[in-house]
Amino acid sequence: MAISIKTPDEVQSMRVACRLASEVLDFITPHVQPGITTGELDRLCHDYMVNVQGTIPAPLNYCPPGHTPYPSSICTSVNHQVCHGIPGTRVLKGGDIVNIDITVIKEGFHGDTSRMYLVGEPSKQAQRLCRITYEAMWLGIREVRPGSHLGDIGHTIQVFAENAGYSVVREFCGHGIGRNFHEDPQVLHYGRKGTGVVLRPGMIFTIEPMINAGRREIRQLADGWTIVTADHSLSAQWEHTVLVTDSGYEVLTLSEGAPPPP
Ligand code: MF3
Ligand code: CO
Ligand code: CO
């Protein structure tokens, strides 16, 4: 699949979808408290998307090759869960860290973003992992400009995360996005400067590093979706959808409640 260059009209539609995705995270923020189940978070987000926003939750029944249909409207990945955690009966408790990943479809366009939430007061190490992962994502975003390479993004994230003593998950990456949930290019969160696709204005893709406190190896649970760290170390992830502009980048998945850039 070729990398699509979005027209000005398509960019405007993506701005709308992406802001809505971020607003789902704003909406759910006050609910992420000890005692709530991940299934309740899913139901609250689902109802907000469908009934308040008039958006479609893209994960629900999403069925990429080699997978069973994803059964929920959001992903909730707790502690050593890396990504694609399926919401259910798990009760959040003080000290947990949880990633909530939202993808909405509005008028045919996808917006994709995730944040880490601290439940109660997690350990200093857990908080540091979440902060470093946030900074890693933003360092990657700041590499985005016409003429730079995808490898510049991956390299910057990898060097920063590894210098902090962490590892970068290799099996999952950022992705082009638009009328499709996952489009070319693949945006690796590791790599070498000056390698890979050259960025051009109008490209839209996500940057969504998964950073492990321990080793980078992962496993998939028997549910066919949930990814965990093989060594059970903590994992964190943040995600934004980003447009390549004529002069640099525009982060599309921003809203009032989005944390400020570091
Ligand atoms: N939102 C995830 C991403 O950032 C993909 C989730 S696929 C699902 O690419 F089926 F698990 F929802
Ligand atoms: Co994504
Ligand atoms: Co996502």
Side-chain angles (χ1 to χ4, degrees):
M1 201 204 299
I3 301 171
S4 75
I5 300 296
K6 271 68 178 179
T7 66
D9 278 358
E10 290 171 329
V11 167
Q12 196 46 44
S13 297
M14 285 296 288
R15 284 194 182 100
V16 171
C18 287
R19 178 176 334 105
L20 286 162
S22 187
E23 286 175 353
V24 178
L25 292 172
D26 295 352
F27 159 75
I28 203 63
T29 298
H31 297 281
V32 187
Q33 299 291 341
I36 197 163
T37 67
T38 53
E40 286 166 338
L41 295 174
D42 179 63
R43 184 183 53 79
L44 286 165
C45 288
H46 174 95
D47 291 350
Y48 186 76
M49 290 185 256
V50 171
N51 300 326
V52 178
Q53 293 186 325
T55 58
I56 298 167
L60 190 58
N61 297 316
Y62 185 58
C63 195
H67 281 79
T68 53
Y70 187 78
S72 300
S73 296
I74 70 173
C75 299
T76 53
S77 304
V78 185
N79 295 340
H80 74 292
Q81 296 178 347
V82 174
C83 63
H84 304 167
I86 299 176
T89 56
R90 182 182 187 136
V91 179
L92 295 182
K93 58 181 196 322
D96 286 342
I97 59 171
V98 56
N99 175 277
I100 300 180
D101 194 338
I102 300 292
T103 310
V104 304
I105 309 171
K106 184 69 169 182
E107 283 165 14
F109 290 87
H110 292 69
D112 188 6
T113 184
S114 80
R115 300 180 195 159
M116 292 303 297
Y117 293 85
L118 309 178
V119 183
E121 202 174 316
S123 68
K124 277 269 125 50
Q125 305 96 285
Q127 293 190 37
R128 177 176 182 267
L129 175 66
C130 294
R131 177 172 51 80
I132 294 284
T133 303
Y134 187 62
E135 291 176 11
M137 175 188 67
W138 270 100
L139 285 171
I141 290 170
R142 292 189 176 116
E143 292 296 320
V144 174
R145 70 189 76 88
S148 77
H149 292 72
L150 282 181
D152 302 340
I153 299 171
H155 177 81
T156 299
I157 291 170
Q158 180 181 13
V159 167
F160 181 72
E162 292 181 353
N163 282 343
Y166 300 145
S167 64
V168 177
V169 172
R170 306 285 177 106
E171 291 84 352
F172 297 92
C173 56
H175 49 92
I177 182 167
R179 286 193 177 276
N180 305 293
F181 196 160
H182 294 104
E183 302 181 354
D184 278 347
Q186 296 195 46
V187 181
L188 304 182
H189 304 111
Y190 61 93
R192 290 178 29 210
K193 264 191 205 310
T195 66
V197 167
V198 178
L199 303 188
R200 293 176 48 195
M203 290 181 179
I204 297 181
F205 51 80
T206 71
I207 299 178
E208 49 179 302
M210 280 145 269
I211 306 295
N212 297 347
R215 297 176 57 85
R216 67 177 175 83
E217 287 78 14
I218 56 165
R219 289 190 205 297
Q220 186 182 89
L221 298 188
D223 64 18
W225 279 101
T226 308
I227 304 297
V228 299
T229 55
D231 64 5
H232 281 72
S233 63
L234 290 176
S235 186
Q237 178 180 29
W238 292 79
E239 175 174 25
H240 271 313
T241 301
V242 180
L243 165 72
V244 184
T245 65
D246 290 331
S247 60
Y249 64 84
E250 179 180 332
V251 176
L252 301 181
T253 35
L254 291 176
S255 59
E256 215 160 286

